[in-house]
Amino acid sequence: MKILRDEAEVANEKRRVIEGALTVCRKKGPRFTMDDVAKEIGMSKKTIYQIVKDKSDLLYKMIDYVFDDIKDQENAVLADPNLSTIEKLKGVLSAMPENLRGIDFTSMFTVKEKFPECHKRAVERIETEWETTVDLLEKAKKEGAVRDVNITVFKLMYEATIERFLQGGDLKKGKIKYIDALNEMTEIMINGIMN
């Protein structure tokens, strides 16, 4: 029984470190330090380094944490029996949990040069796990709600737009928040394929 409790404690400490890093990231962007995280969560750096190897490992874990939260929100949208297929499709494509809305994701993508494995992981997560969206698109086609569009082209357009949002300074120049751009892009894409 002791091992299970210890595993739960380790998982809670890991979550605490990641959430603390996300909080610091909201304030300082990806240039935060491990000292910033330690101060934010009231934990020694020594203890933090027992949970993560280094900042690169922390960023990698943050990316998975963020995408796992997005996946949880997608699942909540899918489970809602009151939503139409189109509403579910929009909800899945624009999923962004409330606790992540204050993060400047565009600045997170600037880690490409210093932390290439983290950048690669973010791109991997954007480009995978499309099964649910494809199923919704196929269902919407069968219902006659959307035109018979090429799903591969739709997917590539979505991925390319998200990556452009994150890589470029276009949103910052236009003073557009990532979440607003995500919602607008989703509306444009779905409205563009509706019958």
Side-chain angles (χ1 to χ4, degrees):
M1 217 42 142
K2 176 79 171 146
I3 293 172
L4 291 177
R5 200 185 96 221
D6 287 343
E7 288 174 7
E9 287 174 9
V10 168
N12 284 336
E13 284 184 349
K14 178 180 171 185
R15 185 173 19 267
R16 188 171 153 217
V17 169
I18 292 169
E19 289 175 355
L22 286 168
T23 299
V24 171
C25 195
R26 273 187 201 91
K27 299 173 189 172
K28 295 189 170 195
R31 300 190 194 284
F32 69 86
T33 65
M34 297 303 266
D35 284 324
D36 295 329
V37 176
K39 184 177 178 184
E40 177 68 32
I41 62 176
M43 183 183 286
S44 73
K45 275 187 7 182
K46 182 179 179 183
T47 303
I48 291 173
Y49 284 122
Q50 292 173 351
I51 298 165
V52 295
K53 290 182 277 189
D54 52 25
K55 184 175 176 180
S56 178
D57 184 39
L58 176 57
L59 287 168
Y60 195 94
K61 285 176 173 47
M62 287 168 64
I63 289 165
D64 277 340
Y65 183 87
V66 164
F67 279 96
D68 289 346
D69 269 7
I70 290 169
K71 189 51 86 178
D72 288 346
Q73 182 169 355
E74 289 176 5
N75 290 333
V77 167
L78 293 170
D80 188 338
N82 300 315
L83 297 177
S84 70
T85 304
I86 292 294
E87 290 168 325
K88 287 181 180 185
L89 191 54
K90 286 180 181 181
V92 165
L93 290 172
S94 63
M96 183 59 60
E98 205 58 46
N99 65 322
L100 301 176
R101 290 182 183 253
I103 297 173
D104 179 8
F105 289 101
T106 59
S107 70
M108 285 299 289
F109 239 64
T110 62
V111 302
K112 183 177 181 177
E113 287 77 31
K114 194 167 183 182
F115 302 103
E117 66 284 352
C118 297
H119 177 267
K120 182 180 174 192
R121 182 62 176 163
V123 171
E124 285 172 1
R125 292 296 302 257
I126 290 168
E127 295 177 353
T128 59
E129 302 174 12
W130 271 87
E131 298 81 13
T132 301
T133 307
V134 169
D135 290 345
L136 285 170
L137 280 166
E138 292 290 357
K139 185 176 179 188
K141 279 185 190 183
K142 286 179 187 166
E143 292 173 353
V146 299
R147 294 181 291 111
D148 187 20
V149 295
N150 185 304
I151 292 177
T152 300
V153 172
F154 183 91
K155 177 181 175 281
L156 289 171
M157 287 173 62
Y158 180 88
E159 290 170 357
T161 304
I162 294 295
E163 288 179 29
R164 178 62 189 236
F165 284 170
L166 296 174
Q167 290 174 2
D170 299 325
L171 294 182
K172 283 187 180 188
K173 287 178 192 171
K175 297 181 180 168
I176 304 168
K177 292 181 182 174
Y178 175 80
I179 187 64
D180 295 335
L182 179 65
N183 289 330
E184 182 72 18
M185 183 259 311
T186 299
E187 284 294 321
I188 291 167
M189 289 189 71
I190 297 300
N191 291 340
I193 65 172
M194 286 180 68
N195 277 330

